[in-house]
Amino acid sequence: MQPTRKIIHIDMDAFYASIEQRDHPELRGKPVVVGGDPQRRGVVATCSYEARKYGIHSAMSAQKAYQRCPHAIFIRPRFDIYHAVSNQIMQIFRSYTELVEPLSLDEAYLDVTNNRQGIASATVVARAIKQQIYAETHLTASAGVSFNKFIAKLASDYRKPDGLTVVPPEHAIEFLEQTPIDKFFGVGKVTAARLHEMEIETGADLKRLTEPELQRLLHKQGSILYHYVRGEDERPVQPTRIRKSVGKETTLVDDISDPERVIQIMRQMAEQVERRLRELDLYGKTVVLKLRWNNFQLMTRRITVPHALQDADTMVALLTPIVYEQFSREPRRVRLVGVTVSHLLSSHAAAQAPYIVPLTLWDETAWLA
């Protein structure tokens, strides 16, 4: 029998906004929104807890955030500062274990089953890491401790900000059964709405469905959720992951037939991709548009360019003609919009003299069951 793993998920609290409030004392206690200009098209990267009281959240349009809180203070991201602080935090993580899997600048999984400090209790390790982060950066973090990645991530979100939640194996089922289904990884707004229609509100409700039923309802994600809600997640903490692409997509609550509205949503996806690329300090040479029609036909179109890109404006400029071209063929309704950047390069590699590749523009069309 394998020993029980000790997994910690650590997530910094309102990372970008907290750094801005740390560096600018006059912002403390005020609603701070880090992201795009509300007078132009842009999205919220993150916001302070004071801003969240007004219903502002990441990925919301900056314009909508302004409508909800006109006196909020909008700040453009300082990614160079965020990268520096993130490196500082990751060094703290690695002083405890070599098994660190960063998910973004502000969160990571740690496997501390066998840690460098020889500390038997994962809870003690998590508390020590939180204390060290605050001592060195004056920022707070929330931690979840459990025996697998799925539960540890749920736990880290349980008592934000500055929280520490421990879910041992003997309490896992109770914890999962009482967790709202909206909190489960992979359950977005559309999936949650479908489950709510079936009176599935919590993990306990989800467990009533068999695996085949969940597969029919949610395809591959249904099978994953079937195991997650039973506390089954064998994914290891992976210190090195080769990232092949960065993408963002959204399934729409209502199908839309207006190409201008599709382009607006596409821009929101592109801006989130840009933010993620900046976080990872990556560029890409291929941009992919993904549209799923209301008949479940999936269309993808790729454009490969000679010079690596990172900004949303370029992505939108490249992809907008494709949207118009698709809608010019016949009236269509869209239920999913996605933007992905692939053929990734580090900022150093992107700065070198680029090799020239021919412009490619082509379709992939597939039918989904």
Side-chain angles (χ1 to χ4, degrees):
M1 181 178 178
Q2 291 185 335
T4 301
R5 292 186 299 162
K6 300 173 184 178
I7 308 298
I8 301 173
H9 178 261
I10 296 185
D11 189 12
M12 300 300 295
D13 299 320
F15 187 51
Y16 301 170
S18 294
I19 290 176
E20 299 301 337
Q21 289 180 319
R22 180 197 69 178
D23 294 351
H24 304 94
E26 69 275 12
L27 298 178
R28 295 172 189 170
K30 296 180 180 179
V32 174
V33 178
V34 180
D37 185 342
Q39 304 306 319
R40 302 177 61 188
R41 289 174 295 190
V43 295
V44 175
T46 190
C47 61
S48 67
Y49 285 96
E50 293 85 358
R52 296 181 189 193
K53 295 176 182 178
Y54 294 88
I56 299 172
H57 56 78
S58 62
M60 171 183 285
S61 73
Q63 190 174 50
K64 182 178 287 187
Y66 178 79
Q67 292 170 351
R68 293 192 175 185
C69 185
H71 64 282
I73 302 167
F74 287 79
I75 297 175
R76 296 290 296 176
R78 297 185 297 154
F79 284 105
D80 55 340
I81 303 298
Y82 307 153
H83 273 283
V85 178
S86 176
N87 288 337
Q88 195 176 357
I89 292 166
M90 295 300 166
Q91 287 178 4
I92 293 173
F93 294 162
R94 294 187 177 98
S95 70
Y96 287 85
T97 175
E98 61 183 17
L99 297 178
V100 177
E101 181 181 335
L103 300 179
S104 62
L105 292 183
D106 62 340
E107 66 173 316
Y109 288 112
L110 293 75
D111 187 331
V112 298
T113 309
N114 300 298
N115 57 81
R116 299 183 191 276
Q117 313 290 343
I119 301 172
S121 169
T123 306
V124 172
V125 174
R127 186 175 291 114
I129 290 174
K130 279 168 49 67
Q131 291 172 348
Q132 190 171 345
I133 288 173
Y134 187 78
E136 295 188 19
T137 69
H138 300 290
L139 299 170
T140 64
S142 295
V145 181
S146 196
F147 58 95
N148 67 39
K149 292 167 75 172
F150 177 70
I151 301 176
K153 186 170 175 64
L154 278 179
S156 69
D157 192 50
Y158 196 68
R159 290 193 179 93
K160 272 186 164 290
D162 199 20
L164 173 57
T165 301
V166 182
V167 183
E170 60 269 24
H171 295 153
I173 297 303
E174 178 185 2
F175 177 78
L176 291 168
E177 288 182 348
Q178 69 182 12
T179 298
I181 195 64
D182 311 64
K183 298 287 187 180
F184 277 48
F185 176 75
V187 177
K189 289 183 179 180
V190 174
T191 300
R194 294 175 67 186
L195 293 172
H196 290 325
E197 288 176 359
M198 300 173 63
E199 299 185 348
I200 297 174
E201 305 290 339
T202 66
D205 298 329
L206 187 67
K207 286 180 73 173
R208 297 200 308 262
L209 299 182
T210 65
E211 186 169 4
E213 287 174 330
L214 277 170
Q215 287 175 332
R216 283 194 296 273
L217 183 66
L218 303 174
H219 307 290
K220 181 180 178 181
Q221 185 63 24
S223 183
I224 293 172
L225 286 175
Y226 176 85
H227 292 283
Y228 279 176
V229 77
R230 287 162 175 77
E232 300 168 4
D233 178 14
E234 298 301 321
R235 292 175 300 156
V237 172
Q238 297 178 302
T240 56
R241 295 192 304 166
I242 300 175
R243 184 175 292 276
K244 296 182 179 180
S245 63
V246 173
K248 183 66 178 179
E249 64 183 43
T250 183
T251 301
L252 308 174
V253 176
D254 298 308
D255 299 342
I256 58 176
S257 57
D258 180 6
E260 295 294 337
R261 178 62 179 144
V262 172
I263 291 167
Q264 183 181 14
I265 296 170
M266 181 179 72
R267 173 172 286 279
Q268 294 173 356
M269 299 300 101
E271 287 176 343
Q272 292 182 60
V273 171
E274 176 187 344
R275 185 185 76 206
R276 187 72 173 126
L277 288 169
R278 288 183 181 276
E279 288 180 348
L280 297 168
D281 199 23
L282 293 173
Y283 289 73
K285 302 187 79 170
T286 299
V287 188
V288 184
L289 173 65
K290 178 179 179 182
L291 297 176
R292 181 175 294 153
W293 310 110
N294 63 334
N295 63 357
F296 286 88
Q297 187 181 25
L298 178 67
M299 185 284 296
T300 62
R301 182 71 67 87
R302 303 165 188 263
I303 299 179
T304 299
V305 294
H307 301 275
L309 58 86
Q310 189 186 59
D311 63 294
D313 286 343
T314 303
M315 298 178 212
V316 173
L318 290 168
L319 300 178
T320 293
I322 301 174
V323 175
Y324 284 127
E325 185 263 339
Q326 290 293 317
F327 276 89
S328 69
R329 296 180 178 182
E330 59 180 288
R332 295 177 177 231
R333 299 187 68 82
V334 175
R335 69 188 313 268
L336 178 147
V337 180
V339 174
T340 298
V341 172
S342 60
H343 193 171
L344 300 179
L345 302 170
S346 67
S347 58
H348 175 74
Q352 305 304 306
Y355 61 91
I356 303 300
V357 297
L359 182 69
T360 62
L361 189 60
W362 48 276
D363 277 299
E364 292 178 16
T365 303
W367 288 91
L368 299 184

